[in-house]
Amino acid sequence: MDKPQRFDSRNALSWTRSTEGPESLRRWHLDLFTRRGWAVLGAGAGLVFLAYLLGRHELMALGVGLLALALSSWLLVLRARRTTGVRRLLHSPAATVAEAARITLLCPDDVSIKETLPEGFGPGPDFSGPGSVDYELVFRARGVHLLGPARQVISDPLGLIRGLVSVGEPQPVPVRAELHPMARFASLGERMLTGDARFSRSTTADFYDVATRDYQQGDSIRQVHWKATARHGKLMVRQENHVATAQALLVLDRASEHWIVDAADLRLSIPQGLGPELNSSRRFENALSLACSLGQRYAASGYQVLYRDLSGTSLIPGQVQQLSDNDARTSFEDFHLASAELGLKSVGVQASAPEPLSPTLLKELQAMREEPIIMILGRLTVEQAAALAALSRTVRHVQLFFMASHPERETDIQRALARTGWSIHVLAGNASIESVREIS
């Protein structure tokens, strides 16, 4: 089996986009006329004009015939392209930055098809139907990218018409944030990841285990196993089956004022398909990638991670708290998919408020004071660092990632954070995640 052709947007400079006709011609598909087609149209128009001047009917008939020949070929070719049933098959529900996403393009008709890749990928694969072609895309930016519409190669036997016309509709492809192998960082969260689950609950009577034990004072009469009681001659109760699920809370700063501060913050636009683009920066992209990587690490260890921003709003639309080991992975997958459409939001003067966390988030932190908490922050003032230091007296198990534009200029903030007793990690603005360093 042949290996699918791979297209990488990193190689955007290795190709030259072909020059298409003027917009006015492409709008009406007049760019499909070849040189021969334009020559026939010109000859027909010229003969009609001469026939009008000279009053020669035979010239008029010949000119009208040439015009009709070119226009009928054009109309027939345009109508034929509407019968093409091109469709795509994505082998995964969403792509991930820096990972190959496999796609199959299928066409049931006897036509030639050229795929249209998102901006930056260059010319796409082409094939002749009926059949299909497999290819892989490696995205280097998250968001919702548009794939297609595919383009059909159309022509007529006389060589008057030849070109590409769009068939089908563009297909949105969600591209999730990049994942990094957090196993490289032995100090990041190892104590939390190996901890025991602290949240447990008993199942209902329908799920009690068949095991029994002797009755103990305080047991409910509803737990009595009457068959076992009759067999043993003493009160026996059902042994409850406990379900334990570890929890963690991840807080990601989304305030645009914290991630786009000065010229050092490279501004980015995140595509959203046919919708308006999202504002972002290189620093926030690193933070979001870090959040997804940590979420994956904790989920793999059985933790159900709750994802919040500084206002306490869930980063996953409609997220609910469910205590089960299966939902730990599901919760991360939901967040990872939501990262394709996650952007910055302006909070105005609240961005520089003395207390960086909202009352709603503070209440949730207090409820999870014994659970692992991950905070990823973009910018802090000295007053906000002092407020976090005060919070550390009640909330102890925190991994805080401070991703400042210029960490070397914010030593006072780092000293204040170092007094919290939390694990503090500092990452320079646009540096790679691998360069993160721990200060406490």
Side-chain angles (χ1 to χ4, degrees):
M1 183 176 180
D2 295 335
K3 186 177 181 180
Q5 187 176 2
R6 178 171 293 185
F7 299 87
D8 193 334
S9 60
R10 178 176 290 175
N11 302 325
L13 299 179
S14 64
W15 59 275
T16 303
R17 185 177 295 278
S18 59
T19 303
E20 298 181 346
E23 177 64 28
S24 58
L25 295 181
R26 287 188 284 115
R27 184 181 306 166
W28 301 100
H29 300 296
L30 297 178
D31 58 325
L32 298 178
F33 283 102
T34 62
R35 292 184 178 180
R36 181 183 298 179
W38 284 113
V40 171
L41 282 175
L47 289 174
V48 169
F49 181 71
L50 286 176
Y52 174 76
L53 292 179
L54 302 176
R56 302 296 297 269
H57 298 289
E58 63 275 13
L59 290 180
M60 179 66 73
L62 181 58
V64 171
L66 291 177
L67 289 174
L69 177 64
L71 292 176
S72 60
S73 297
W74 178 69
L75 290 173
L76 288 174
V77 166
L78 284 180
R79 182 159 184 84
R81 59 107 179 184
R82 296 193 182 97
T83 63
T84 302
V86 176
R87 61 187 182 92
R88 292 179 191 83
L89 174 63
L90 276 65
H91 293 259
S92 60
T96 301
V97 171
E99 296 181 8
R102 188 167 182 175
I103 301 168
T104 300
L105 182 66
L106 306 102
C107 178
D109 304 306
D110 186 13
V111 294
S112 296
I113 295 294
K114 290 181 67 69
E115 176 68 296
T116 302
L117 301 182
E119 187 72 23
F121 280 94
D126 56 82
F127 71 104
S128 296
S132 64
V133 62
D134 290 339
Y135 63 96
E136 294 178 340
L137 295 180
V138 181
F139 293 89
R140 298 296 172 177
R142 68 178 181 92
V144 181
H145 297 258
L146 288 179
L147 186 59
R151 309 188 74 185
Q152 178 182 340
V153 181
I154 58 176
S155 61
D156 69 317
L158 300 178
L160 305 180
I161 307 295
R162 182 172 178 81
L164 298 172
V165 293
S166 298
V167 290
E169 299 294 332
Q171 182 171 349
V173 178
V175 180
R176 303 167 293 195
E178 184 175 2
L179 295 175
H180 295 270
M182 301 307 292
R184 298 180 183 177
F185 309 106
S187 62
L188 298 188
E190 287 298 325
R191 179 170 58 89
M192 301 299 179
L193 291 170
T194 57
D196 295 330
R198 296 183 178 87
F199 277 78
S200 64
R201 63 177 182 179
S202 299
T203 57
T204 62
D206 292 337
F207 293 91
Y208 281 163
D209 197 6
V210 295
T212 58
R213 60 174 174 80
D214 292 343
Y215 174 83
Q216 298 177 0
Q217 186 176 2
D219 288 335
S220 172
I221 193 65
R222 290 177 296 179
Q223 295 177 238
V224 175
H225 194 297
W226 297 109
K227 290 184 178 181
T229 297
R231 185 170 59 252
H232 292 279
K234 59 181 178 178
L235 279 177
M236 303 292 294
V237 297
R238 300 175 188 270
Q239 176 67 51
E240 296 180 359
N241 179 28
H242 290 272
V243 177
T245 301
Q247 286 190 325
L249 178 64
L250 189 149
V251 179
L252 174 62
D253 183 2
R254 291 180 59 197
S256 59
E257 293 83 358
H258 293 167
W259 299 104
I260 303 178
V261 180
D262 51 31
D265 290 318
L266 180 62
R267 295 172 181 259
L268 300 176
S269 296
I270 305 302
Q272 292 296 292
L274 298 176
E277 295 181 337
L278 300 175
N279 291 326
S280 184
S281 68
R282 175 56 58 191
R283 203 154 48 97
F284 180 71
E285 294 302 301
N286 283 343
L288 183 56
S289 179
L290 176 63
C292 291
S293 302
L294 290 171
Q296 181 190 45
R297 183 72 182 277
Y298 277 71
S301 298
Y303 279 89
Q304 167 144 16
V305 184
L306 304 177
Y307 302 91
R308 303 287 187 264
D309 61 15
L310 295 185
S311 67
T313 304
S314 174
L315 298 177
I316 305 175
Q319 184 191 46
V320 295
Q321 180 175 341
Q322 297 178 356
L323 295 175
S324 73
D325 182 64
N326 292 332
D327 287 326
R329 185 70 187 179
T330 301
S331 178
F332 162 71
E333 292 294 345
D334 291 342
F335 173 65
H336 198 201
L337 182 59
S339 68
E341 304 179 38
L342 198 63
L344 296 173
K345 60 180 182 180
S346 178
V347 296
V349 296
Q350 297 179 2
S352 56
E355 174 56 65
L357 311 181
S358 69
T360 302
L361 182 59
L362 285 173
K363 183 178 180 181
E364 193 164 11
L365 289 175
Q366 294 291 344
M368 299 184 64
R369 63 181 64 186
E370 297 298 330
E371 306 310 308
I373 296 171
I374 309 103
M375 292 187 188
I376 303 176
L377 307 178
R379 186 188 185 190
L380 289 172
T381 63
V382 176
E383 293 78 10
Q384 291 173 337
L388 291 175
L391 179 64
S392 66
R393 290 193 288 267
T394 54
V395 180
R396 295 188 291 271
H397 305 299
V398 175
Q399 299 271 346
L400 190 148
F401 295 84
F402 181 46
M403 306 181 71
S405 299
H406 306 283
E408 68 281 359
R409 303 177 186 175
E410 302 182 7
T411 55
D412 291 342
I413 297 175
Q414 294 182 46
R415 282 196 292 267
L417 293 176
R419 292 194 293 268
T420 61
W422 296 342
S423 295
I424 308 297
H425 311 276
V426 177
L427 178 64
N430 297 319
S432 64
I433 292 179
E434 285 75 10
S435 61
V436 66
R437 61 183 178 88
E438 186 173 0
I439 63 173
S440 65

